[in-house]
Amino acid sequence: MKVDAMLQGTGLAELAAEAREREAAGYDGLWSFEGQHDPFLPLVAVAEHTSRLTVGTAIAVAFARNPMSTAYVAHDLQVHSQGRFLLGLGSQVRPHIERRFAMPWGHPAPRMREYVQALRAIWASWNEGEPLNFRGDFYSHTLMTPFFSPAPSPWGPPRVYLAAVGEHMTRVAGEVCDGLQPHPFTTARYLRERTVPTLEEGLARSGRTLADLSISFSGLVVSGTTEEEMEAAARGAREQIAFYGSTPAYRKVLDLHGWDELGGELNRLSRGTDDDRWRQMGELIDDEVLNAFAVVAEPAQLGAAVLDRFGGVVDRFTFYAPYPHAEDLFVPAMEELRAAD
């Protein structure tokens, strides 16, 4: 199992140092995400200052951009990194697409399928000289002249990963993508009983099997070297679970476990104005819920616990730890997971 990390830095010099440290520590990849900063720009520094690490977005918001814009930046990063770039895409939710990005929303799964197909058509026009004649229901790309065509990538096009929770987007990942990025708000049961069977349906439509697709999972973990650290880690994880659980789009995960009432209460509290509501929401996450969403183990046992829960399904794992912790906390677990590659 490959082990990745999420980028923490923001400044280019800071990112370069972080990338070198992560590569020296043995990590296999570094992911950026679209939060308070652009997801692509940091990867320029990461690729420049590493030689082995995979670099990728987890995720970039697809519907905030058109396929042509995404195709250009992804192509450039693929060349800059010498074939080490993974393009992780996600749909985001309707309010953010319409109200934050001022972009159209509708039919997200079919739109995403077409988005990825458009990317592949554009890359084929650059890398293989194919005429660009993509015509879809949501996107059409029919003009590409030599002046606007970058040189072919010696490493081919980037691999495309898709973030998904619901069945429709998961099926799209199986149909047209190279990898799946399950949402961190995913339990092992949901992954095995809902995600994988749906993914296999999509893969069957494209004549592939699970062996042809990568699953990269950023999994919540609770770990620490002291009782106090474990308590702080659990508190951070509970609040993160509560935050995700308040989102109606992720309710299916809770429903599978019979926790639909919890989802409704979390959503109600999230719409309040009390500055302390996030802590209050975290207190609703009991040990049963915590242990379903997070791998809870001391550092020496964490690697085995992750393998026990996700081995045989996930081939890339990122430690998701929403709390302060020492940089070397996950080194024992990382070494054990990489040995199981």
Side-chain angles (χ1 to χ4, degrees):
M1 185 181 293
K2 296 186 183 301
V3 181
D4 302 328
M6 295 298 297
L7 277 169
Q8 304 300 317
T10 54
L12 293 182
E14 184 183 8
L15 288 164
E18 181 182 350
R20 289 191 294 265
E21 291 170 1
R22 295 292 190 183
E23 186 167 67
Y27 283 92
D28 295 292
L30 273 176
W31 298 97
S32 65
F33 64 96
E34 186 151 24
Q36 297 172 331
H37 302 277
D38 180 85
F40 297 107
L41 181 60
L43 299 180
V44 175
V46 174
E48 180 72 22
H49 294 274
T50 56
S51 60
R52 180 184 56 81
L53 282 179
T54 296
V55 299
T57 54
I59 52 85
V61 179
F63 300 154
R65 304 166 174 83
N66 62 63
M68 184 64 69
S69 298
T70 301
Y72 275 115
V73 68
H75 176 91
D76 288 346
L77 280 169
Q78 175 75 338
V79 173
H80 180 61
S81 66
Q82 299 185 334
R84 293 182 286 137
F85 177 62
L86 303 178
L87 176 61
L89 298 173
S91 62
Q92 247 296 348
V93 293
R94 181 171 190 162
H96 283 270
I97 297 303
E98 292 185 335
R99 295 168 52 197
R100 183 156 67 98
F101 292 108
M103 295 290 280
W105 174 269
H107 309 287
R111 184 185 294 268
M112 186 67 78
R113 180 188 297 106
E114 193 173 291
Y115 194 105
V116 176
Q117 291 169 335
L119 287 174
R120 298 202 187 282
I122 294 166
W123 289 331
S125 75
W126 297 339
N127 293 329
E128 302 163 26
E130 294 286 339
L132 182 58
N133 186 29
F134 182 84
R135 302 173 187 270
D137 296 326
F138 306 100
Y139 304 102
S140 292
H141 299 279
T142 59
L143 176 63
M144 183 55 60
T145 62
F147 183 82
F148 294 103
S149 299
S153 164
W155 299 274
R159 285 169 287 172
V160 180
Y161 282 59
L162 181 60
V165 177
E167 61 182 21
H168 299 299
M169 200 65 76
T170 301
R171 196 172 289 112
V172 169
E175 288 182 57
V176 299
C177 294
D178 304 293
L180 172 73
Q181 293 171 320
H183 196 282
F185 193 70
T186 297
T187 65
R189 181 183 172 189
Y190 189 86
L191 186 66
R192 294 178 186 275
E193 294 184 15
R194 294 289 189 271
T195 301
V196 170
T198 304
L199 189 61
E200 289 179 313
E201 292 176 12
L203 285 164
R205 293 180 182 181
S206 60
R208 300 184 296 164
T209 68
L210 281 173
D212 301 309
L213 183 134
S214 169
I215 298 181
S216 175
F217 184 47
S218 182
L220 278 164
V221 295
V222 171
S223 193
T225 58
T226 67
E227 184 176 339
E228 291 75 16
E229 288 182 0
M230 289 292 290
E231 289 179 358
R235 183 166 57 253
R238 291 180 201 274
E239 291 181 4
Q240 194 65 46
I241 292 166
F243 169 73
Y244 288 138
S246 68
T247 305
Y250 306 150
R251 190 70 56 81
K252 289 184 178 181
V253 185
L254 292 172
D255 291 348
L256 176 64
H257 291 267
W259 297 328
D260 49 317
E261 291 185 6
L262 172 63
E265 180 63 10
L266 290 171
N267 179 257
R268 184 189 67 79
L269 288 172
S270 72
R271 291 183 278 108
T273 58
D274 187 347
D275 291 339
D276 197 40
R277 65 187 183 279
W278 303 111
R279 182 192 60 77
Q280 297 173 12
M281 290 163 60
E283 292 176 350
L284 295 180
I285 307 301
D286 62 22
D287 287 348
E288 182 183 9
V289 178
L290 174 67
N291 281 277
F293 283 97
V295 179
V296 182
E298 295 180 0
Q301 287 77 47
L302 183 59
V306 171
L307 283 172
D308 181 64
R309 188 172 295 197
F310 300 113
V313 178
V314 171
D315 60 278
R316 304 191 76 103
F317 187 83
T318 302
F319 297 104
Y320 185 9
Y323 48 85
H325 59 274
E327 286 298 317
D328 61 352
L329 180 65
F330 304 123
V331 169
M334 177 186 67
E335 293 175 347
E336 186 164 357
L337 292 177
R338 294 194 74 220
D341 187 45

